[in-house]
Amino acid sequence: MSTDTEHVEGGSETSALEAWQDWYHLPVIGAVMLFMIWVRTQSYDRFVTDDGTPALAGVDSWYHWRTIRWTAENYPRTMPYEIWTEFPTGTHVGQFGTLFDQLIVTAAMIVGLGDPSTETLYTVSLLAVPVMAALVAIPVFYAGRRLGGTVGGIVSVIVLALAPGQFLARSSVGQLDHHVGEVLFMAIAIVAMMVALRAAEREKPIYELVAENDWDALRTPALYSGLAGLALTLYVWVWPSAVLLIGIFGVFFAVQLCLDYLRGVSPDHVAFVGAVSLGVTTILTTLLIERSGIGVTTFSYLQPLVALLVAVGCVFMAWLAREWSSRDLERRYYPAAVAGLIVVAFGIMWLALPSLYSTVVGNLTSRLIPLDPGTGTLTIVEAQPPDNFFSEYTFDEFGATFYTMLAGLVLLVARPFLGREYRAEYTLILVWSLFLISMAATQIRFAYYLVLAVAVVNAVFVADVVRLFNLDLQRGARSLREIETYQVIVVLMVVLLLFAPLLPPIAQDNTAMERGEAASPHSDAMVWEDSTHWLESNTPVPGAYGGNDNADKLDYYGTYEYPDDGDYDYPDGTYGVMSWWDYGHLITTQGERIPHSNPFQQNARTSSAFFTAESEEQSELILEAIAAGENPLDDDNNVRSTEDLEAMADEDAHEQMRYVMIDDQMAGGKFSAITAWSGPGYGHYVTPEDYEPNEQIERDEIDERFGDAPYHDTTLSRLYFDDASGMEHYRLVHENDERTVGFVSYALVDPSTDQVLHGENGEPQVAINQMVDERTQIQIARLQQNPNVDVEIFDERQGSAVKTYERVEGATITGTVDQPVGDDATVTAEIELDSGTERGTFNYTQEAELEDDGSFELTVPYATDDELGVEDGYTNSSVEAVDSYTVTVDGDETYQAETEVPETAVVEGETVEVEGFEATGVEEPAGENADENEDAAGNETGEDAESDGGGGADGGGEATGNENTTDGAAGSAAPVPVRTAG
């Protein structure tokens, strides 16, 4: 193999062998691309359902399906401002509705002859991602060939095809996400910049040629530089956060211009490329701006501004080099001066443009360098830093090719010290690769970028091995007899080193083929589908809630103008759905309703505040503050005081949250992530309020101490486990009958002392409401194998997969008891409800104190009839009353009455008066007729009645959360590690 990395054209080939030597890479690349498509489409059938509904592999994929359908309806426009998410403001979708979606819809338009059906659109969408992944092989080959010749380029594409990690996982069928588009267009941008740099080194453009308008001399480098700027713009158009590559290019130009000056080479050549390419990017990204301000994930001022800064910086550094030379200053001090000026520039940015500074530095530390990951990244599995990055993680992702890539980088650095030619594109590859390594060490997902560097730089490794051992494979092709034995051994060793860890038997079940075959639809989306489809069919369309007639103002595929203040004014009758941000896209796409928070992590903090509120009063005030356009959290992300919230609240605001959707994972493993967004933190909710660090808790005290931890008072817990028993404004209207899961709470106990073990800072080793999934069972089994630890299970519960609640005004039940009942009497309203699922009925209980004059009032959210439905602007509830309310006054005497509560009273907040209280037991002197009187009354004795009534709301809640649910198999939700209180 020749180590010449230039493609040499010319000569008249007369033999088939010579033609094969020139073009053999094309069928090889074609075969590799077909292999990549096959690997990624093995599980295609799993994503095509019998009823024609989509089945996609990721939550973000569902929102791309939304933007693709929108683009098909509004072709050739892509989605602009979106009002069907982030209620009550709307949002720019930023990374969605970009060139990625436009390309897919364009392909569907061609296949569908200008009018693709939904089935055609879906089929093209499924296959587009594997095809884009295969197309990545083309720029990877050409980048590899520039570094290591044709054989090096082929090695690069084979490494790419066999990599079993993040790139494969994110480019398999069903993964309708822009990640594969990011990789494709980053690779194109890198190759384009390599070509432009080489053209500039050949043509040597300088300032004088520009000043003299000598375009004949400047045409070639200007053309290639302009194409590099266009390629970079296309990458930004696919992913607005591609501004990070502009930053990487900025670092490269700063390093290369310093190197050139130190070597006595004019910096003008490379500076010309930077000025032209980034200048083109500045102009073209300006045309993409959707909104004012500085935003990373949307098309804003940031992208053209950063590109302009890099372009101007290149010109400035070239000018500074000339000035430096004209003053005969020491060349070696030039890089230090440049570094100092960069620090000064950041200082000026910090003073003059603090928002730009915080955006640049924040993304530098959270995306590019593993220094300061924020809450948003640490609560996303894919955005967390990997464990054992340089050993287990990288080997699992790339096999041995990651380490041979590191060797290739060292060989690139060593080229000038070995007297070999050194090009600017080598510096580009070095800087780019180091940043990709840092990014992958910062966030797990960025390994799908690192695969590019691993593939490309291995061409360097192979080329230098070939050069070292004098392996001219082209000569060998002409005469096999010329190949030496040691050369065959070296070739085999290189092949085994690169590819054996990626293939059976070494890779075992970790090969690209097996991982591609294992692709399947996202479990959350499949589980939630029943509930979101119910939401679409059984709740009023936005704009029609409460009987309003504004549904025609909210076209699902409509175009809406971005409001000047960024807060869309929804018409009356529009409402939001409160859920955790993980499920926002499912609510938008499957349920066609408007979520408050979404996987863009918008409104994650306010959702967290709502679900962790420890009283219904606080949760209601939070929602009313949101409806009024106020932030219920202070600067430290703690919920504001009740007085502040009351001052913010606007009960008459028309943009209200009307439904709440929760699932088993939120109640279990995701609760710790929910608490991370707003104070006071996870430890507060799972630790008794009066707990002292290292407090000695006996085994038999565990249930008592942790059974009333603040977690059980949160809105999330009361809705999920208690079915809103004791709450005034929330009623269960639907639950998913597809899956019933178990929850377990346990403590780790020292068997020698029978006391709870403690962790760091003296916190108790306790886990509350962990889902009983495979991961939890494995963890408990491992703990039980430890002779120094006992696993004490102190609570077991059951729950359904997804529950949907409606938020209502609630009907106020009032009444007066004329008979004396003594002091401290309580009033309890109880109703039996049919869940509409296999678990059967459950009880709702509400409790209040009886006033001194015998009067009472309490608010209940459930009706005893279903006279209102979707056609009236309300809900077709799947949960129905079995009978009327039983209102019990319990004191020295016990009285009961029955009452109906109409649906209109519940939704409009009307009052229902209860009359006709009758005693349920008669006090008689002890004697032979006492038992007869009890039997005649047909009710329990006063003692028994007190026992039943004493449970109040809490008693009803416990019964609802445990006894009235049916056992079911453990779910398949995402497992979480054992958490410790504190």
Side-chain angles (χ1 to χ4, degrees), residues 632-646:
L633 301 175
D634 60 23
D635 293 339
D636 295 324
N637 296 316
N638 294 313
V639 177
R640 299 182 188 273
S641 66
T642 299
E643 293 76 14
D644 289 344
L645 291 175
E646 288 175 343

Side-chain angles (χ1 to χ4, degrees), residues 379-643:
T379 57
I380 308 175
V381 173
E382 65 181 25
Q384 295 179 1
D387 296 328
N388 304 315
F389 177 75
F390 284 103
S391 55
E392 296 178 12
Y393 179 71
T394 50
F395 192 83
D396 184 57
E397 285 280 331
F398 313 111
T401 57
F402 175 78
Y403 310 105
T404 52
M405 176 204 68
L406 296 179
L409 293 176
V410 172
L411 291 170
L412 275 182
V413 173
R415 288 181 72 92
F417 302 101
L418 299 175
R420 300 175 63 191
E421 180 188 23
Y422 188 85
R423 303 173 186 167
E425 57 187 309
Y426 298 160
T427 305
L428 173 63
I429 294 298
L430 283 166
V431 171
W432 172 64
S433 298
L434 291 175
F435 269 109
L436 294 189
I437 293 171
S438 179
M439 289 168 60
T442 303
Q443 296 187 21
I444 290 173
R445 60 180 167 186
F446 286 140
Y448 65 75
Y449 276 139
L450 182 55
V451 72
L452 291 176
V454 170
V456 169
V457 179
N458 265 286
V460 178
F461 173 76
V462 170
D464 279 18
V465 169
V466 167
R467 179 177 176 274
L468 178 63
F469 291 95
N470 194 28
L471 300 176
D472 191 338
L473 299 185
Q474 292 182 353
R475 183 194 65 192
R478 291 189 294 268
S479 177
L480 296 177
R481 289 175 295 180
E482 298 180 14
I483 300 177
E484 300 289 341
T485 302
Y486 81 90
Q487 294 175 323
V488 175
I489 294 174
V490 171
V491 170
L492 290 176
M493 289 180 63
V494 170
V495 170
L496 288 174
L497 177 65
L498 293 177
F499 305 126
L502 301 175
L503 295 167
I506 294 178
Q508 297 180 353
D509 60 348
N510 197 32
T511 66
M513 293 77 76
E514 288 164 331
R515 287 196 176 185
E517 196 278 331
S520 61
H522 193 274
S523 59
D524 285 352
M526 297 300 99
V527 170
W528 273 67
E529 190 172 36
D530 176 61
S531 296
T532 49
H533 287 176
W534 178 92
L535 189 73
E536 179 186 11
S537 302
N538 295 278
T539 62
V541 296
Y545 191 90
N548 286 278
D549 189 22
N550 292 316
D552 58 341
K553 298 179 181 178
L554 296 172
D555 183 2
Y556 190 66
Y557 296 107
T559 300
Y560 304 91
E561 294 296 326
Y562 179 68
D564 293 336
D565 60 357
D567 185 357
Y568 187 79
D569 186 18
Y570 289 88
D572 290 347
T574 311
Y575 58 87
V577 179
M578 174 63 75
S579 188
W580 189 229
W581 63 260
D582 291 19
Y583 310 111
H585 291 342
L586 301 180
I587 293 169
T588 297
T589 56
Q590 293 181 345
E592 296 191 9
R593 296 298 181 263
I594 311 175
H596 175 60
S597 57
N598 53 46
F600 306 144
Q601 294 190 330
Q602 292 163 337
N603 294 327
R605 296 194 186 280
T606 46
S607 295
S608 169
F610 170 79
F611 286 117
T612 58
E614 295 178 49
S615 70
E616 185 177 11
E617 177 189 17
Q618 187 182 52
S619 65
E620 284 293 284
L621 287 172
I622 289 170
L623 294 187
E624 289 171 10
I626 293 171
E630 302 288 346
N631 185 1
L633 301 175
D634 60 23
D635 293 339
D636 295 324
N637 296 316
N638 294 313
V639 177
R640 299 182 188 273
S641 66
T642 299
E643 293 76 14

Side-chain angles (χ1 to χ4, degrees), residues 787-802:
N788 299 317
V789 174
D790 278 352
V791 179
E792 182 71 17
I793 296 176
F794 61 89
D795 189 21
E796 296 180 83
R797 299 185 176 200
Q798 295 287 330
S800 59
V802 185

Side-chain angles (χ1 to χ4, degrees), residues 737 740-741 798-800 837-840 962-969:
D737 198 27
T740 302
V741 298
Q798 295 287 330
S800 59
T837 66
E838 291 183 358
R839 77 159 166 144
N962 294 288
E963 297 172 8
N964 291 324
T965 57
T966 57
D967 293 335

